[in-house]
Amino acid sequence: MAAPLGALLYRASHQLNNVRILGASHRLENILRKNEFLLNYGRLPLTDSNVTTIPYRRFEPTDGRYFVSYISKYLQGRGMPKMSAGLHKKFLESVYEMFNNAVIHSGTTLGIYSCGQYYPNVHRLDFSIGDLGMGIRESLRRKKQLELAADEAIRWAFTGTNTTRTGPIPGGLGLKLLADFTTKNGGRIQIVSDRGYWELEEGSVRSSLFDLPFPGTVVNIELNTADTKSYRLSSESNLGDIF
């Protein structure tokens, strides 16, 4: 939740508000110092000796190469399921597509926010990325002239290779790979955009509408770290074919 919280607090400060963090419990403050969230609010960092955090970061839309370095560094270890080199590359490309979607579709000028946490006791790894852009529903209205409810718009974005992207570079494939992988892994994907909430868990989808909107889009990818299976792309016959 540090990614969407960071986005909201940055938006508040951008609107000339003075933002301070007060009254956090000792345990919560330690977590938010370990993942470096509170460094933005005058706190000192705390060493993550258990190596369970994926640090909180804010990226400009032009920071694509820094985001690639970030996920390449932190989306390994931390209970990540076993996967071939080819699949791991495609997995990172799919996560990068989330960043690219925020850049291309959201029109955000206030940045893109990311954070993650490994929970070894409950065998889960969560990674979140959020933006303060127009949201999926508004993007579809403007670019596809589709009038959908906010939850239906998220469902549309996750159907096959649907995308509002134009030109020779296809879109939507990263979303499909993440959906397929988390379903096989026993994880889940959660998306909030505008008033819409959409969740995919164990192949089942549920969605709903909030009373009030989130001013942008947040994607949370949750992996099951108790999964002992090893994964590869169906196109891989052996590692020698990749390189």
Side-chain angles (χ1 to χ4, degrees):
M1 293 301 293
L5 177 60
L8 293 174
L9 295 185
Y10 184 87
R11 181 173 180 257
S13 63
H14 187 76
Q15 295 170 338
L16 304 182
N17 293 290
N18 181 26
V19 176
R20 293 184 295 159
I21 306 293
L22 302 172
S25 69
H26 179 71
R27 179 176 176 273
L28 178 58
E29 181 159 329
N30 282 347
I31 292 171
L32 296 180
R33 287 172 61 195
K34 287 179 180 179
N35 71 13
E36 303 181 19
F37 180 86
L38 286 179
L39 272 62
N40 300 279
Y41 302 97
R43 307 299 204 280
L44 295 174
L46 192 63
T47 301
D48 177 21
S49 56
N50 293 322
V51 194
T52 59
T53 63
I54 298 174
Y56 170 79
R57 293 287 185 271
R58 175 185 175 274
F59 298 91
E60 293 290 346
T62 54
D63 285 344
R65 64 192 182 99
Y66 298 114
F67 184 78
V68 169
S69 297
Y70 168 76
I71 59 175
S72 298
K73 179 178 180 180
Y74 292 109
L75 284 183
Q76 57 179 333
R78 293 168 176 79
M80 280 284 289
K82 296 176 184 177
M83 59 182 78
S84 68
L87 178 56
H88 185 65
K89 180 175 182 291
K90 286 295 183 183
F91 185 87
L92 293 181
E93 287 175 357
S94 299
V95 175
Y96 176 69
E97 186 173 315
M98 303 298 99
F99 178 92
N100 216 27
N101 284 343
V103 173
I104 295 172
H105 302 310
S106 78
T108 182
T109 59
L110 297 179
I112 298 158
Y113 306 80
S114 192
C115 196
Q117 183 69 40
Y118 171 38
Y119 303 94
N121 292 334
V122 294
H123 309 294
R124 287 291 185 267
L125 172 65
D126 282 83
F127 179 75
S128 298
I129 178 170
D131 66 67
L132 291 166
M134 70 180 76
I136 297 172
R137 177 177 177 272
E138 180 63 15
S139 178
L140 289 180
R141 190 187 70 80
R142 293 188 188 185
K143 298 178 181 180
K144 289 286 188 179
Q145 291 73 55
L146 289 175
E147 295 287 348
L148 299 173
D151 58 335
E152 292 173 347
I154 302 172
R155 184 185 293 268
W156 184 95
F158 252 87
T159 301
T161 56
N162 283 341
T163 180
T164 58
R165 191 179 306 174
T166 57
I169 302 174
L173 296 177
L175 289 170
K176 185 177 187 307
L177 186 143
L178 290 175
D180 289 346
F181 182 80
T182 53
T183 296
K184 293 179 184 299
N185 162 253
R188 65 176 171 172
I189 297 175
Q190 299 163 300
I191 303 178
V192 171
S193 185
D194 194 287
R195 290 180 55 229
Y197 175 80
W198 185 95
E199 178 180 281
L200 172 68
E201 185 172 16
E202 297 182 356
S204 297
V205 171
R206 69 184 185 95
S207 61
S208 59
L209 290 171
F210 293 135
D211 292 334
L212 297 172
F214 178 83
T217 298
V218 179
V219 179
N220 184 60
I221 303 163
E222 183 173 83
L223 300 180
N224 170 21
T225 63
D227 185 2
T228 58
K229 297 187 293 293
S230 183
Y231 296 89
R232 63 182 177 127
L233 296 167
S234 59
S235 58
E236 294 180 75
S237 57
N238 59 64
L239 286 177
D241 293 338
I242 298 171
F243 300 103

